[in-house]
């Protein structure tokens, strides 16, 4: 079994950069990477982005899943909202990495950026 990303800072940064690059390549907007380690006991990172359609959300989720297979992270297929065109929010749970792919309406309504405002924002550009 490979070491947990939490125990390997280089691996953690590689995963964050991989997800961030996919979000950029797929034309996601308002990409945010939040380090939750100082404000939550078992979550480490939220990666949040805004998409303009279900098609775009599905493409982003598919690419992230494909890219992260090599890291052998635990992945829960129990998305809170699924990937239907009506949900507006796709959640990918990789344990300490949680990816939120949201429409502008869902992002504004749930406002995870405000909810987790005490978390450190990481710039990966």
């Amino acid at each position: 079994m490979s070491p947990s990303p939490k125990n390997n800072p280089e691996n953690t940064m590689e995963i964050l950069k991989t997800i961030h690059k996919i979000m950029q390549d797929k034309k996601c907007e308002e990409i945010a990477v939040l380090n939750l380690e100082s404000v939550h006991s078992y979550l480490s990172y939220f990666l949040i982005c805004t998409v303009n359609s279900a098609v775009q959300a599905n493409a982003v989720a598919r690419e992230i899943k494909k890219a992260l297979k090599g890291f052998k992270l635990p992945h829960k297929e129990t998305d809170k909202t699924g990937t239907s065109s009506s949900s507006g929010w796709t959640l990918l749970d990789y344990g300490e990495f949680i990816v939120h792919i949201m429409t502008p309406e869902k992002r504004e309504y749930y406002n995870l950026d405000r909810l987790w405002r005490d978390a450190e924002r990481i710039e990966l550009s």
Side-chain angles (χ1 to χ4, degrees):
M1 187 168 174
S2 63
S4 167
K6 201 172 222 174
N7 298 326
N8 185 341
E10 296 83 22
N11 199 31
T12 297
M13 285 311 294
E14 187 178 350
I15 292 167
L16 293 174
K17 287 177 181 179
T18 298
I19 297 170
H20 189 265
K21 176 145 179 37
I22 291 167
M23 289 176 170
Q24 287 180 318
D25 291 349
K26 294 293 181 188
K27 309 293 185 225
C28 296
E29 300 171 0
E30 301 178 70
I31 300 170
V33 181
L34 306 177
N35 181 343
L36 303 173
E37 291 176 313
S38 64
V39 294
H40 202 280
S41 61
Y42 67 88
L43 288 174
S44 295
Y45 298 95
F46 269 7
L47 295 103
I48 309 167
C49 69
T50 303
V51 294
N52 293 309
S53 70
V55 172
Q56 184 183 15
N58 289 336
V60 174
R62 187 173 47 251
E63 282 299 312
I64 290 171
K65 288 176 186 179
K66 189 168 117 181
L68 295 188
K69 276 186 182 176
F71 290 101
K72 296 185 176 23
L73 297 171
H75 177 236
K76 297 177 188 164
E77 286 290 343
T78 55
D79 295 347
K80 290 233 181 263
T81 58
T83 55
S84 71
S85 58
S86 62
S87 73
W89 183 358
T90 302
L91 183 141
L92 304 174
D93 184 349
Y94 287 96
E96 60 185 294
F97 297 93
I98 309 246
V99 179
H100 301 271
I101 305 166
M102 309 172 90
T103 61
E105 297 80 20
K106 293 293 181 182
R107 182 130 185 208
E108 184 179 336
Y109 181 80
Y110 289 102
N111 206 348
L112 296 177
D113 301 272
R114 183 185 57 75
L115 183 65
W116 294 98
R117 67 182 167 266
D118 293 338
E120 175 192 358
R121 291 180 83 85
I122 299 173
E123 295 299 325
L124 295 173
S125 304

